[in-house]
Amino acid sequence: MTVNMTKGQAISLEKKDGGNLTSVRMGLGWQAAPRRGLFGSRTREIDLDASAVLFADKQPVDVVFFRHLVSDDGSVRHTGDNLVGGVGQGGDDEAILVDLQRVPVHIDQIVFTVNSFTGQTFQEVQNAFCRLVDETNGQELARYTLAGGGQYTAQIMAKVHRAGAGWQMTALGNPANGRTFQDLMPSIFPVL
């Protein structure tokens, strides 16, 4: 059963049977919002990019994004860049896979971001979401709707962080501005 998360809400990534999830997918989906013009409505392509920044003791140690598809240790993998969105019509347009068992013990947080590489604002985006899926069985565990309509070009979507022997996911949804994950670092540090 999917948990529809609200900003700031955290959920445990422990399975109902008491075991921990082993592999999850953070999916990102979006569509271009129709724009009204003199000759009716039309849409432009929107290039949003998902990134995952890996932290150890609040220090960035690796990143996975469209130009670096696999973390140095191989535990986090980006499935590839989608330049237009809306391809899945409600499915994932970009996804980042995390093998939680392979994440090195010193990595304590993975922060997921989304940014408009072309500089378009979220006013031009609709139906944007991130979701966490149990990659072993395809079951959607949590979904967070990314609020649209702002003059910002990015969001700090969510983070997966260690909690005792397991992991938790926290929905963040913090608006930010930047075209790349590097631009977003000043907005990421406060949520660690």
Side-chain angles (χ1 to χ4, degrees), residues 87-106:
V87 173
Q89 299 300 319
D92 299 335
D93 293 309
E94 289 194 13
I96 297 175
L97 307 172
V98 181
D99 185 340
L100 295 169
Q101 293 181 315
R102 289 185 59 197
V103 174
V105 69
H106 70 284

Side-chain angles (χ1 to χ4, degrees), residues 1-132:
M1 182 174 180
T2 298
V3 174
N4 287 313
M5 298 184 73
T6 58
K7 185 174 181 168
Q9 182 180 2
I11 61 165
S12 171
L13 299 187
E14 187 174 293
K15 290 187 174 186
K16 290 179 185 175
D17 64 9
N20 287 318
L21 292 171
T22 57
S23 183
V24 295
R25 171 174 22 114
M26 179 64 74
L28 169 67
W30 72 92
Q31 294 175 326
R35 298 174 65 187
R36 296 201 184 274
L38 188 58
F39 301 106
S41 294
R42 60 189 172 132
T43 59
R44 281 183 20 185
E45 294 177 347
I46 304 285
D47 179 12
L48 296 183
D49 293 314
S51 302
V53 185
L54 289 69
F55 287 88
D57 197 27
K58 299 187 179 186
Q59 296 300 313
V61 294
D62 201 354
V63 65
V64 173
F65 69 117
F66 69 92
R67 289 190 179 145
H68 185 244
L69 294 176
V70 180
S71 63
D72 293 340
D73 58 52
S75 65
V76 182
R77 184 171 52 91
H78 195 297
T79 60
D81 195 12
N82 179 320
L83 302 176
V84 297
V87 173
Q89 299 300 319
D92 299 335
D93 293 309
E94 289 194 13
I96 297 175
L97 307 172
V98 181
D99 185 340
L100 295 169
Q101 293 181 315
R102 289 185 59 197
V103 174
V105 69
H106 70 284
I107 303 294
D108 54 8
Q109 297 186 68
I110 303 171
V111 178
F112 298 93
T113 66
V114 57
N115 56 273
S116 171
F117 186 73
T118 52
Q120 293 156 311
T121 69
F122 272 69
Q123 283 184 319
E124 299 176 64
V125 176
Q126 68 180 12
N127 302 325
F129 64 87
C130 66
R131 67 188 192 127
L132 192 71

Side-chain angles (χ1 to χ4, degrees), residues 132-168:
L132 192 71
V133 176
D134 181 344
E135 196 61 13
T136 60
N137 62 17
Q139 180 184 359
E140 181 175 294
L141 304 169
R143 178 177 287 256
Y144 178 62
T145 301
L146 303 174
Q151 283 294 330
Y152 49 89
T153 60
Q155 275 199 27
I156 314 305
M157 290 190 297
K159 69 178 179 177
V160 173
H161 49 100
R162 292 192 188 272
W167 293 85
Q168 280 190 340

